[in-house]
Amino acid sequence: ETQTESSEALKSPMAIHVLNFVMFPTTHIRDASSGAPVGLPIFGADIVSLPGNKHLVALDFQPVLPINNDDESSAKLFPEQYSHLESKLLAIHAKYQKGSDDETEPLLAWGGDIPPQALRWFSPYALWTRLSDENAIQTVSTTVWDAYREYVDLYFELMNAVQTDLDDGKLEIMPGEENNAVLSGQREYLEYRRINDPARPMLQRLYGKDWAEELIDGVLFPTL
């Protein structure tokens, strides 16, 4: 359901609203000098509003290649040549999920522990929150929307930088190479999402099992 200027789309406490938005960069980019594959993160946004004024939000640059997601300072989510953009991502994350000091509440409180099997697909810059207080709808319409735009804008900035390096010959496309770690990472991500999609029970209840499975397998998370 489309968000309106007056936020009417979110005002029904018994309605279900779901945004699931994922962007996959090409898996066949390599460094022109070293020949090493370039692993770019997947952009993922899940914003879910459930009956009873419950809202779940996850925004992230999801890693295709394994990283150390325990420490932002050593995460190295982006290829080295784009480290300045990773620094911008760190600052955006800190703006919303971390207070300026121990006594300052973050704009979006941490949503709780992430299941161990899902940690592989979260970066240290994930914005993950649950909202259910009396101001939840207003927070989704303002703070969450602002965070979403900043994450999307930075992802486009990263993709534009990659395209510039492709145009300048610093990066190149690897034609016809099926076996590389980046492609394998995206396939593993899609398989994880297909198996563990939390919306499956709701979709099956509303539209039936066959339709739900066709949507999940063929539209949301198709096989590469």
Side-chain angles (χ1 to χ4, degrees), residues 3-103:
Q3 171 86 23
T4 64
E5 184 175 349
S6 60
S7 301
E8 291 296 329
L10 289 175
K11 286 187 177 178
S12 172
M14 297 309 296
I16 297 173
H17 309 280
V18 178
L19 170 67
N20 177 242
F21 179 37
V22 185
M23 289 188 281
F24 292 86
T26 181
T27 59
H28 292 79
I29 298 177
R30 66 185 176 192
D31 186 277
S33 298
S34 67
V38 175
L40 300 168
I42 297 166
F43 177 83
D46 290 280
I47 303 176
V48 180
S49 294
L50 299 172
N53 193 36
K54 297 178 181 178
H55 309 269
L56 310 175
V57 178
L59 306 174
D60 199 11
F61 284 50
Q62 298 180 272
V64 171
L65 303 176
I67 62 171
N68 175 16
N69 61 6
D70 294 327
D71 181 7
E72 289 179 349
S73 65
S74 62
K76 303 299 182 187
L77 177 65
F78 294 4
E80 185 63 34
Q81 61 267 46
Y82 309 118
S83 60
H84 62 293
L85 296 178
E86 186 163 356
S87 295
K88 291 180 69 172
L89 179 57
L90 187 155
I92 294 171
H93 176 259
K95 172 182 175 181
Y96 289 98
Q97 200 102 73
K98 291 184 176 180
S100 58
D101 55 59
D102 291 341
E103 297 181 356

Side-chain angles (χ1 to χ4, degrees), residues 22-29 37-44 61-66 120-121 155 158-159 162 174 177-195 217 220-224:
V22 185
M23 289 188 281
F24 292 86
T26 181
T27 59
H28 292 79
I29 298 177
V38 175
L40 300 168
I42 297 166
F43 177 83
F61 284 50
Q62 298 180 272
V64 171
L65 303 176
R120 162 71 176 85
W121 308 110
Y155 194 80
L158 172 62
M159 294 299 106
V162 171
M174 304 180 288
E177 293 193 21
E178 277 297 312
N179 296 316
N180 69 71
V182 180
L183 178 59
S184 296
Q186 284 199 11
R187 285 174 170 166
E188 290 171 10
Y189 172 84
L190 286 165
E191 179 69 8
Y192 172 81
R193 293 297 301 263
R194 278 193 294 270
I195 294 173
D217 294 345
L220 295 179
F221 309 111
T223 302
L224 292 179

